[in-house]
Amino acid sequence: MHNAQVTADGARIRWVEIPGRPGSSRTRVCLHGLGASSGPYFTASATHPLLAGDRSLLMDLLGFGISDRPTDFGYTLEEHADAVAAALEAAGAYGTDVIAHSMGGAVAIVLAARHPHLVARLVLVDANLDPMTPGAGRAGSSGIAAYSEEEFLAHGWAEVRDRVGPHWWATMRLAGREALHRSAVHLARGTAPTMRELLLELKIPRTFLRPRNAGPLPGEERLVEHGVRVVAVPECGHNIMLANPEAFARETARALAD
């Protein structure tokens, strides 16, 4: 496990690092979604024969997993991205391949836009591209964002725990409650320009993996027109890397081979 201080007050991001094979100069960074942790969600993929061999950083966003959970941090997407940037610079990880799931994908887009020297390629795994309506999805980020922070800290977290079930709660319970709520609120609000608009303007190779059963993304044709490779992955839901690890490894390896 490695760590780096990412705020002036001393908060630290931590990550599990898998060394690359001798002679490999590439670094891959994995970023998890809301309430998750990169170790449980990405270790199998990072060690899959199609993806193993390059240095891999399974990084937990500030407030989640094994990273610190400061209560005086804003947890906007921009602040998350800047904290990741500080960790990558501390790790000497420049021109990285970023593989990012859900909210982590939104953070990765902002990271690439604000710190282009740190990101060479993006693989977005069913990532958030647009603002959401609070309360639109009771089990997910918009459901968390529907509470005020006071309500969430008092009782909302327990209601969310009961709704999301034991699988998601296994990692969500590690998150700081302020971090979880504020991250959900800012994910629902999105960025200005939106994550989608930022993604369209990036000049690096970009791949978006989505569940085939969910149907086309809103605005998918425009993404493709702007050079985003959109891949419909079969036999999976939102957690593509867990539900269909073989297809995930195959499509991610293809995206990173360009």
Side-chain angles (χ1 to χ4, degrees), residues 56-77:
S56 294
L57 279 57
L58 312 187
M59 188 169 287
D60 281 349
L61 299 172
L62 201 64
F64 297 90
I66 58 175
S67 292
D68 286 348
R69 300 178 286 279
T71 59
D72 58 350
F73 191 72
Y75 296 101
T76 66
L77 293 173

Side-chain angles (χ1 to χ4, degrees), residues 18-136:
I18 303 173
R21 70 170 69 92
S24 173
S25 60
R26 299 282 291 276
T27 299
R28 295 175 183 165
V29 180
C30 296
L31 298 177
H32 59 82
L34 183 73
S37 171
S38 286
Y41 278 74
F42 283 109
T43 297
S45 299
T47 57
H48 189 284
L50 291 174
L51 294 174
D54 292 330
R55 181 190 184 198
S56 294
L57 279 57
L58 312 187
M59 188 169 287
D60 281 349
L61 299 172
L62 201 64
F64 297 90
I66 58 175
S67 292
D68 286 348
R69 300 178 286 279
T71 59
D72 58 350
F73 191 72
Y75 296 101
T76 66
L77 293 173
E78 293 86 353
E79 287 171 313
H80 273 303
D82 290 348
V84 170
L88 292 178
E89 290 182 341
Y94 298 90
T96 61
D97 297 331
V98 181
I99 306 167
H101 178 232
S102 197
M103 185 188 82
V107 173
I109 293 168
V110 179
L111 173 70
R114 290 169 71 88
H115 305 277
H117 63 295
L118 295 175
V119 183
R121 291 180 287 194
L122 280 180
V123 179
L124 304 172
V125 188
D126 209 20
N128 299 77
L129 298 181
D130 304 300
M132 296 175 284
T133 302

